[in-house]
Amino acid sequence: MSFKKIIGHDRQIEHLRNAMRNRRVAHAYLFLGKEGIGKKLVALNIAKALNCLRGDKEPCDECRSCLKIDHLHHPDVLLVEPHGQWIRIDQIRDLQRELSHRPYEGKRRICILTGGDRMRQEAANALLRILEEPPLHTVLILLAANVDLMLPTITSRCQRITFNPLPSEQIAEVVRSRLGLEREEAHILASLADGSLGKALQTDLDFVHRGRREIIGKIIDLPSYGPEQILGLAEEMAKGNDDLPMLLTMIHTWYRDLLSYKERGNGAQLINIDLSHDIHKVAPGTDTPSLIHRMEVIQGALWNLERNVNRQITLEAMLLDLARTRGLHGDTWS
Ligand SMILES: [Zn+2]
């Protein structure tokens, strides 16, 4: 897949193309942006463009080098990804050893390190040593979602390129054509993907339909739950195999829909179009401040999950707050 086929990120790609044209490619980049947004695809295309046997700063997608990179079989394109949750120190040490050699067959060696924000102190320090003495003929590309989880001494040595979330309409259009979805289905999936096309394409559609209705059903009942039931639901969610951030996003869309319905007085902008009957029933008993508060509570929980705060504790606090808010702001729905 060449640059031309990447959806979105035009400005970022143009900046990198210019750098290649003007022979001003940095020795280290930091690509910042949400997971599944296309950072790795752009990084692989840089590897292809810099090593293409035919193209001039543009991958041809056909030569031996381009094909090898497409299949991740090129000896000079190194991909370092977290083992489980973290990038381990021995992965960085292996990389350091590898980088002491010259490229084997390519013009440039490209090292793509995903999860640049998922390194403990020891691994981060080892990476810092690589960045302090950048190896010749090598471009290091770190991919990360959260710059505040990285050492400033690492980020300051990289040229930073920020990738923005894709607009939901653009994602809906792509999933409609690639997955053959109906307009309504594509709209729901795109709204849950948080600006990430990769996430939208990988999400299990059954989870989007059945899983979403199930969790929203429980949230509708939440005000009638006792503390034990609430803690039980937190445990069920924490231990389940479902994509937890997406599950929380589903709950967020429910409150967002209630708010939209209340403010507009109609269901023209709903995400959960298939639940418009429930929204119509529940919305009159809610008040705007408590809906906004609940949406903020969910955003806080998502923030915690991104930073690896304990899942169960995060969910318990979130659900207790969502249930309790009713009393604070005078909601009457249940
Ligand atoms: Zn090529």
Side-chain angles (χ1 to χ4, degrees), residues 2 11 60 92 108 111 116 133 154 165 170 175-176 192 207 244 247 252 255 271 276 278 288-289 310-311 332:
S2 70
R11 197 168 43 82
C60 74
I92 304 292
R108 295 274 195 116
C111 167
E133 289 178 40
I154 287 185
Q170 199 171 10
V175 295
R176 263 190 90 186
L192 294 172
F207 176 51
L244 203 48
L247 210 53
H252 192 272
Y255 292 123
I271 292 169
S276 52
D278 299 281
T288 299
N310 182 289
R311 288 157 69 104
T332 53

Side-chain angles (χ1 to χ4, degrees), residues 52-53 60-61 63 66:
C52 180
L53 303 174
C60 74
D61 282 327
C63 73
C66 282

Side-chain angles (χ1 to χ4, degrees), residues 12-13 36 39 49 54 67 71 85 93 99 116 121 178 197 207 235 238 249 283 289 291 300 307 319 330:
Q12 290 79 353
I13 290 171
K39 304 188 296 292
R54 282 194 215 157
L67 291 176
H71 293 99
Q85 199 160 341
R93 286 197 187 121
L99 294 183
Q121 193 73 30
R178 287 206 202 158
L197 179 60
F207 176 51
E235 190 178 357
T249 306
L291 290 173
R307 281 152 187 80
L319 290 172

Side-chain angles (χ1 to χ4, degrees), residues 37-49:
I37 210 171
K39 304 188 296 292
K40 188 162 141 192
L41 206 53
V42 174
L44 284 169
N45 270 284
I46 298 202
K48 278 158 65 172

Side-chain angles (χ1 to χ4, degrees), residues 30 32-33 35 82 85-87 113-120 142-151 306 308:
L30 169 59
L32 266 181
E35 302 257 343
Q85 199 160 341
W86 305 99
I87 290 188
L113 200 138
T114 73
D117 48 0
R118 286 161 66 181
M119 272 181 281
R120 292 204 178 96
L142 308 183
L143 314 185
N146 292 313
V147 70
D148 46 343
L149 297 181
M150 300 178 73
L151 289 181
E306 267 180 32
N308 301 310

